[in-house]
Amino acid sequence: VQLQASGGGLVQPGGSLRLSCAAPRSDRSVNDMGWFRQAPGKERELVATITSGGGTYYADSVKARFTISRDNAKNTVYLQMNSLKPEDTAVYYCNPVVYYGGAYYSTRDYWGQGTQVTVSS
C-alpha cells in the first residue's frame, strides 16, 4: 500500500503547516502510524505516533508544538506543526509503526518521497 505524504513547504520561523498522509481508500487496514523526519546529514528520527485508537506519542523536540491526529474514515493521518523552528527543517515521512522493546519502529523499509518542510526567514 502506497502512502502519500503532502503539505510541506517553506514557512517562516514561528509559522505553521499541516502535513497529511493518505492511504488508498481501498486499504481498510487500520494501523498504528508514525511521522518521521530526516534533516540533511542526519539520521531519520521519529517525530510522533498515533495508535489505531488515538493514543499519541511525541518526541521531546516537538512536544507542545506538534499534534498528530487521524481520520480513519478518510484513511488519513495528519501532523499539525505550530511554532516551527529552523531545526524542524527536514523531509517528513509517514509509515505504519510497531511498538517493541520500549520504542516505535517503522514496519516498512520503503519510505516514499516524503514532503519537504523548510523553516527559514
Side-chain angles (χ1 to χ4, degrees):
V1 174
Q2 186 170 2
L3 298 171
Q4 181 64 49
S6 62
L10 173 63
V11 63
Q12 293 186 343
S16 298
L17 283 174
R18 189 175 84 151
L19 306 184
S20 299
C21 174
R25 288 184 176 268
S26 59
D27 177 20
R28 307 316 300 175
S29 62
V30 180
N31 299 299
D32 296 351
M33 294 293 297
W35 282 99
F36 299 78
R37 68 185 180 187
Q38 187 167 21
K42 295 187 177 181
E43 293 188 354
R44 187 177 290 117
E45 64 176 353
L46 178 67
V47 175
T49 67
I50 186 165
T51 68
S52 56
T56 58
Y57 161 86
Y58 297 95
D60 287 344
S61 58
V62 305
K63 277 181 181 177
R65 299 189 300 121
F66 290 11
T67 302
I68 189 171
S69 62
R70 67 191 300 160
D71 184 335
N72 289 335
K74 295 182 178 180
N75 267 6
T76 301
V77 177
Y78 304 97
L79 187 68
Q80 177 67 43
M81 306 186 296
N82 299 328
S83 303
L84 283 162
K85 304 175 181 180
E87 50 264 43
D88 295 317
T89 296
V91 179
Y92 285 70
Y93 305 86
C94 62
N95 255 348
V97 295
V98 62
Y99 186 76
Y100 178 77
Y104 283 99
Y105 300 91
S106 170
T107 61
R108 299 181 179 182
D109 293 329
Y110 176 72
W111 289 94
Q113 292 186 336
T115 186
Q116 175 71 48
V117 172
T118 303
V119 185
S120 175
S121 55

